[in-house]
Amino acid sequence: MLIITCPWCGARPEVEFRYGGEAHIARPADPSALTDQEWADFLYNRTNPKGLHAERWRHIHGCGRYFNALRDTVSDFFVTTYKAGEARPDVDASSGGSK
Amino acid sequence: MSHPFNASAETMLALRGAPRNHAAQVHGGPRTAGVYLPSEANVQKFSGFELFRRAFGGHKSWQPQWRNPEPKAEYDVIIVGAGGHGLAAAYYLAKEHGIANVAVIERGWLGGGNTGRNTTIVRSNYLFDESAALYEHAVKLWEGLSQDLNYNVMYSARGVLMLAHNHHDEISFKRHVHANRLNGVDNEWLNAEQVKEFCPPLNIKSMRYPIIGGALQRRGGTARHDAVAWGYARAADSRGVDIIQNCEVTGIRRNAAGAVEGVETSRGFIRAKKVGVSAAGHTSVVMAMAGLRMPLESYPLQALVSEPVKPAFPTVVMSNTIHAYISQSDKGEMVIGAGTDAYTSYSQRGALHIASHTLDAICELVPQFRRLRMLRNWGGIVDVTPDRSPIIAKTPVPGLYVNCGWGTGGFKATPGSGHVFAHTIARDAPHAINAPFTLERFRDGFLIDEAAAAAVAH
């Protein structure tokens, strides 16, 4: 089980959280202007990286808030977590952080 | 971790009369070059008589089942990934389309990915017409596969029973039964007593969500996962296909027009005008080498096996509602699985609470198994599409083909998937069966939403 650090509540076990998929996928500002392919990219296409992944988590059995995390998908190591709305931190997979 | 070459697997091979130098070959051990050239004529046929005859020589006269060749400079087709699907595609390219100048390139050892990690269940009781046609195509091939490959893949049509625990399950399964029958796929509804009669170890009453019935596909069952990979490898190799293991694809080279020229690998550049990617959980990684973003996410899917016991469980039982499935392997182990872990990962392991939750359900379903000890628990990385249906298609890159998105249920489709993927590559156009399973369906809105078809929800 992973230990995940909620930016508001601190380190908690994985079962308190719900995974929210890839982070920083902004809803289109002008949806009617999008082509079908752009809609498919927004809705379905994902980076799915082997390595550092920016992703959303929600602390459903805690504060209930969404936040973002940078996790290495090879080791499942959480490099850092940060609040929703903040930019993706410029760190690499070897950086310290919460486990 | 499940290792395909553990002691039991070796014992099994020995019983069937396969060579003991098989493992050495897979791991690149010493080989006598030039002794064995690929051709159907000089492949030793497996039969009961041969097993008997060679026993007098102490079984020392068996040949390796496939070569371990150096990659050539150029092939007509390169398949990336020597799992069941990739090897099957290579086999059918050689057998049905006359394209034998094929390389199957594998990062690790053949059959060492999800082919060696799944729970070996075969069924075709999918809801939608497109899916029913695809999976039924595979089941029909399963039925004759051991004969076709001259390799015992141990396909056992022992039935797949999907349990209903509430009214909604019942309505849903009955709808599946009717839809399946319209598509010529066998499936029937059993009430609780019939379920108990078909599978006596089940506890149908004294549980939190009693079993009220189930949908049974009698032609469903299991097959031996490793034997499927080995059988296809041997049959493909005998037709001239080069299986190149311990060779990682590191790039896809394209020409000025954007078309595929070949693949960069850890053993150098290999030229080919057609490249078929069959890389399961790593599909996004490989396709990114050609600049493509895929509608895929890779999740760990766990499975467990118990200590081996005498035959105690006659069929495959799945429960979506209380979330587990179980069957007994021919070695005697109870093979158990359930849902994926919650988050994307390439770690090939998952969290204990997922496995523990699965075992809670098994102990409810089959109380006598509470005393079984679990021997191994492992994970495989499954590539999941938004509609839970696979993609077997051409891509926007000329010469690049992809067979992916099988998610949690790819093993059952191995022969059918390889068959239609080979057709797609050879003709540069899909077979009628895989024509709906395009990459463009996500753009055009023609999703094949089989999310409810998984044996357990993910």
Side-chain angles (χ1 to χ4, degrees):
Chain A
M1 188 177 298
L2 306 175
I3 303 294
I4 302 172
T5 304
C6 170
W8 284 275
C9 311
R12 299 293 179 89
E14 176 192 343
V15 287
E16 289 190 12
F17 296 86
R18 182 72 49 83
Y19 183 64
E22 186 171 346
H24 306 300
I25 298 176
R27 188 171 175 79
D30 185 7
S32 60
L34 260 57
T35 64
D36 288 353
Q37 187 56 53
E38 286 166 335
W39 266 119
D41 288 340
F42 167 69
L43 288 172
Y44 302 126
N45 289 345
R46 295 293 177 262
T47 315
N48 196 23
K50 185 175 186 178
L52 217 50
H53 188 222
E55 60 194 17
R56 304 198 308 161
W57 287 85
R58 187 177 174 219
H59 194 185
I60 50 164
H61 299 298
C63 61
R65 301 180 85 161
Y66 274 104
F67 59 92
N68 293 332
L70 277 181
R71 182 176 54 91
D72 183 352
T73 59
V74 178
S75 63
D76 292 337
F77 178 79
F78 278 83
V79 174
T80 187
T81 56
Y82 53 103
K83 292 176 182 173
E86 293 177 1
R88 173 179 170 150
D90 186 21
V91 293
D92 61 40
S94 59
S95 300
S98 61
K99 268 192 179 175
Chain B
M1 294 293 286
S2 165
H3 196 280
F5 308 109
N6 58 24
S8 307
E10 290 293 347
T11 310
M12 210 164 221
L13 277 168
L15 284 173
R16 207 182 45 232
R20 72 167 69 87
N21 51 6
H22 172 85
Q25 175 186 340
V26 166
H27 297 296
R31 300 287 314 281
T32 316
V35 170
Y36 164 47
L37 295 169
S39 103
E40 281 192 82
N42 62 17
V43 168
Q44 295 171 332
K45 296 285 277 184
F46 290 145
S47 68
F49 173 73
E50 282 294 313
L51 185 64
F52 180 74
R53 187 171 72 83
R54 290 174 197 268
F56 292 104
H59 288 297
K60 287 178 182 158
S61 59
W62 292 105
Q63 291 172 342
Q65 294 186 23
W66 52 79
R67 298 160 300 130
N68 203 4
E70 284 300 311
K72 291 191 272 186
E74 180 165 6
Y75 291 92
D76 292 338
V77 176
I78 287 174
I79 304 282
V80 180
H85 288 235
L87 292 165
Y91 169 68
Y92 291 115
L93 274 171
K95 182 188 174 209
E96 303 210 342
H97 303 282
I99 304 173
N101 186 24
V102 175
V104 185
I105 298 179
E106 169 58 47
R107 185 174 63 117
W109 64 92
L110 71 85
N114 292 349
T115 302
R117 293 166 187 272
N118 67 82
T119 47
T120 77
I121 295 164
V122 174
R123 63 187 177 91
S124 61
N125 51 353
Y126 282 70
L127 181 63
F128 293 111
D129 296 352
E130 297 88 344
S131 321
L134 180 62
Y135 291 99
E136 182 64 11
H137 182 53
V139 168
K140 284 178 177 155
L141 288 170
W142 278 119
E143 286 168 340
L145 195 61
S146 291
Q147 287 73 27
D148 186 29
L149 300 178
N150 179 232
Y151 208 99
N152 187 2
V153 299
M154 300 167 75
Y155 168 59
S156 161
R158 62 185 66 180
V160 170
L161 180 59
M162 300 172 87
L163 299 176
H165 300 266
N166 56 48
H167 183 57
H168 309 289
D169 284 350
E170 181 176 350
I171 295 170
S172 170
F173 284 147
K174 285 183 173 171
R175 182 182 175 213
H176 273 75
V177 167
H178 294 311
N180 289 159
R181 287 180 148 182
L182 286 171
N183 277 317
V185 176
D186 73 303
N187 199 359
E188 62 192 277
W189 173 257
L190 304 185
N191 64 29
E193 286 68 35
Q194 290 168 320
V195 164
K196 179 77 179 169
E197 191 182 327
F198 188 75
C199 185
L202 284 176
N203 165 29
I204 61 168
K205 288 207 169 68
S206 54
M207 58 197 294
R208 174 68 181 83
Y209 297 101
I211 295 166
I212 62 170
L216 171 65
Q217 184 178 24
R218 293 183 191 271
R219 286 159 66 241
T222 60
R224 171 135 170 83
H225 51 357
D226 295 326
V228 175
W230 298 337
Y232 272 120
R234 172 172 168 270
D237 177 90
S238 74
R239 289 171 185 271
V241 171
D242 282 357
I243 301 164
I244 300 160
Q245 302 176 79
N246 299 309
C247 181
E248 181 173 0
V249 170
T250 54
I252 295 174
R253 194 187 286 181
R254 298 161 68 184
N255 63 21
V260 166
E261 277 191 329
V263 294
E264 310 278 357
T265 76
S266 54
R267 290 163 71 173
F269 176 67
I270 307 174
R271 191 174 294 278
K273 287 195 174 63
K274 290 183 173 182
V275 172
V277 175
S278 194
H282 279 74
T283 304
S284 293
V285 177
V286 177
M287 297 302 275
M289 295 171 190
L292 291 177
R293 264 166 76 84
M294 298 295 289
L296 293 172
E297 290 187 299
S298 297
Y299 291 91
L301 176 62
Q302 297 186 59
L304 311 90
V305 291
S306 73
E307 58 190 329
V309 292
K310 287 185 176 179
F313 205 74
T315 185
V316 180
V317 164
M318 309 178 133
S319 169
N320 192 350
T321 297
I322 69 167
H323 222 218
Y325 52 82
I326 180 168
S327 64
Q328 188 171 18
S329 75
D330 291 348
K331 279 192 283 183
E333 301 159 330
M334 295 301 159
V335 184
I336 294 165
T340 59
D341 276 66
Y343 46 84
T344 63
S345 178
Y346 289 83
S347 63
Q348 292 191 326
R349 59 177 178 261
L352 182 62
H353 69 270
I354 302 283
S356 164
H357 174 70
T358 305
L359 294 176
D360 290 347
I362 293 298
C363 292
E364 279 268 282
L365 281 176
V366 197
Q368 74 190 47
F369 291 165
R370 285 173 188 180
R371 288 188 294 164
L372 274 181
R373 281 161 295 197
M374 292 298 128
L375 274 193
R376 300 193 301 278
N377 174 209
W378 65 92
I381 301 304
V382 299
D383 46 327
V384 178
T385 56
D387 63 358
R388 303 301 190 265
S389 287
I391 300 163
I392 317 165
K394 299 168 68 171
T395 69
V397 176
L400 186 65
Y401 306 83
V402 69
N403 179 7
C404 67
W406 289 94
T408 57
F411 176 75
K412 66 173 80 68
T414 303
S417 155
H419 186 260
V420 295
F421 193 41
H423 185 284
T424 307
I425 294 170
R427 310 276 180 90
D428 194 36
H431 189 282
I433 289 173
N434 68 314
F437 295 90
T438 62
L439 200 49
E440 290 76 26
R441 72 177 187 266
F442 298 100
R443 178 195 67 199
D444 300 335
F446 293 106
L447 272 62
I448 304 161
D449 189 1
E450 287 285 1
V456 296
H458 297 288

